[in-house]
Amino acid sequence: MARVGPPPLEEHAFRLFKQAVIARTGHHYYDDKDPLLWERVAKRLRATGAGTVGAYVELLADPKRGEAEWNALEAEITIGETFFFRFAEQFEALRRTILPAVIRANEDTRQIRVWSAGCSTGAEAYSVAIVLRELLGEAVADWRVGVVGTDINDAFLKTARAATYGKWALRSMPPQDRERWFTADGPNGPWTVRPVYKGLVHFERHNLMSLLDGTSPLQFTGFDLILCRNVLIYFHTEAVNRIVRALGECLAPNGWLLVGHAEASPEFTRSLKSVELPGAMAYRPLGSAADSEARSTQGQVPAEPAPAAVVRTAHGKHSSKAPERRPRPAPSRPTPSPPAAPAVASSPADLLSRLRSLADAGDLQGALSLAQDALASLPTDPTLHYYRGLLDQSAGRLGEAETAFRSALYLDRSFVMAHYQLGLLLARRGDRVAARRSLSTAARLAAGLPGGAELPEGDGLTAGTLTLLARAALQPGAAR
């Protein structure tokens, strides 16, 4: 294995290489993240035996081996963060409005086509298939339902096709739903999507940039629903607008396009009409049928959302509108481990992105190691403690998870999701009194926020939904 030297971030060859990577993938996410890009590229240099960027560029240009290595590099630099039913508000819009409208519009043809673009390991595609199957009920046998998930990461696609997942990917799912939709290989998983849902989904390799250069396969058209959520954030603004126009051209006349919460833009209404739904902004082709359950806002600039009462600072710190207090030092643990120096100096946001990427890929041990390293240099970051708790919980280390959640709350008492997760964990451990206390605190804090405010680290969960979930968990017999 070739030895890889220090990061050549200032070298001309690296800058040219970076430009080539961004041009091919469209991932402008790496515009200002040279250390993170190099960390991922260096893995490929070691794997291929290329000792320098120049040698690696020659490999990529090789007529026989280059394309395969490009695929491997694209897989390495792709950030895959996903889990089932991520962003509950959008799935509620799918369940209540969008998919019922799709079913009504296709009653004559009895055919439904859905595209999950940038599907990562497949959780989104299977989540949509589950909702569709349950909406159609036994009538699904009379319908031709096809959900295609696409990504440029071959490793992600392999996981998606296997349809087998660990606790991390199912972390927001109630146990009763997990039993309905999955088969378990033992009490602690992993869990495999049941055939009645898996059979509705297939996966293909596809680069969204191919929509812009005319190389996208011809079958990528006529979709009733396209989901392209949390993918556009990695592209430059100009490319985003062109991709959205191209996705609109891939829709059926009465189709729907759903993007991520933070990705909606007034610019999209130049080629599509926007439809405002509770908790979601969708887009439809110009001239598509109006839906009585949705309010069209064609040509209007969406109103600025009401400011959330809880915000996240640059260091992942949660705070309320009250004057910010200096964080107290994290509580000491009975037997602290020697601090480990972080492998790469990164911002908290980059560390969290890498941590979630490892966890979503199933590498819980790698994610835990990264969390430990990150906490060694950022011990007062409540968000890192929170994710450490989620990871410990997924690994079955409930005691360590409780300690991590309590550390997060020691640093930030307004951290709603930490109160909620701690309450669920305590209920699981049988401490119902403490569980009720934590869940009640979560419900009280969430109820004090605007109902539509997204909770920090809630993955799209709003204060209103969390309030309902916490209160439901507080019902007699629920928190057990």
Side-chain angles (χ1 to χ4, degrees), residues 162-289:
T164 298
Y165 300 90
K167 287 183 179 179
W168 183 256
L170 278 62
R171 60 187 181 271
S172 67
M173 190 178 297
Q176 61 270 26
D177 289 339
R178 189 171 62 203
E179 292 175 7
R180 287 166 54 205
W181 301 329
F182 296 81
T183 58
D185 184 11
N188 295 313
W191 291 268
T192 301
V193 179
R194 291 186 181 275
V196 291
Y197 308 112
K198 183 180 178 182
L200 303 178
V201 187
H202 75 281
F203 296 92
E204 298 181 21
R205 194 176 196 281
H206 182 274
N207 188 341
L208 282 176
M209 294 298 286
S210 68
L211 293 171
L212 307 184
D213 61 17
T215 60
S216 180
L218 294 177
Q219 69 265 27
F220 281 86
T221 188
F223 287 100
D224 301 293
L225 169 65
I226 298 176
L227 301 103
C228 188
R229 306 187 308 158
N230 305 298
V231 178
L232 301 176
I233 56 175
Y234 300 111
F235 295 91
H236 191 273
T237 302
E238 181 183 353
V240 167
N241 294 332
R242 293 175 62 202
I243 288 171
V244 168
R245 282 198 298 272
L247 288 172
E249 294 170 359
C250 295
L251 288 171
N254 286 317
W256 298 75
L257 169 65
L258 198 59
V259 299
H261 284 83
E263 296 169 324
S265 168
E267 185 69 24
F268 299 167
T269 58
R270 292 180 179 273
S271 57
L272 298 163
K273 70 177 180 182
S274 57
V275 180
E276 187 178 345
L277 302 169
M281 180 68 75
Y283 296 90
R284 308 192 69 186
L286 297 176
S288 60

Side-chain angles (χ1 to χ4, degrees), residues 324-389:
E324 185 175 348
R325 299 179 180 178
R326 293 177 61 85
R328 293 177 286 176
S332 58
R333 298 185 180 184
T335 55
S337 302
V344 177
S346 301
S347 69
D350 285 344
L351 286 169
L352 287 171
S353 177
R354 291 164 53 203
L355 187 153
R356 288 189 290 253
S357 180
L358 286 169
D360 284 328
D363 186 3
L364 292 184
Q365 189 54 53
L368 272 168
S369 296
L370 178 60
Q372 291 169 345
D373 289 346
L375 284 167
S377 59
L378 297 168
T380 59
D381 189 308
T383 309
L384 286 171
H385 284 284
Y386 173 72
Y387 277 101
R388 170 68 192 269

Side-chain angles (χ1 to χ4, degrees), residues 70-91:
W70 267 115
N71 292 344
L73 176 62
E74 289 169 349
E76 189 64 56
I77 67 174
T78 303
I79 298 173
E81 180 186 343
T82 186
F83 55 89
F84 280 80
F85 296 97
R86 186 182 183 195
F87 299 120
E89 298 294 316
Q90 288 192 336
F91 266 96

Side-chain angles (χ1 to χ4, degrees), residues 1-3 45-47 49:
M1 183 176 292
R3 181 179 180 276
L45 265 67
R46 285 190 287 269

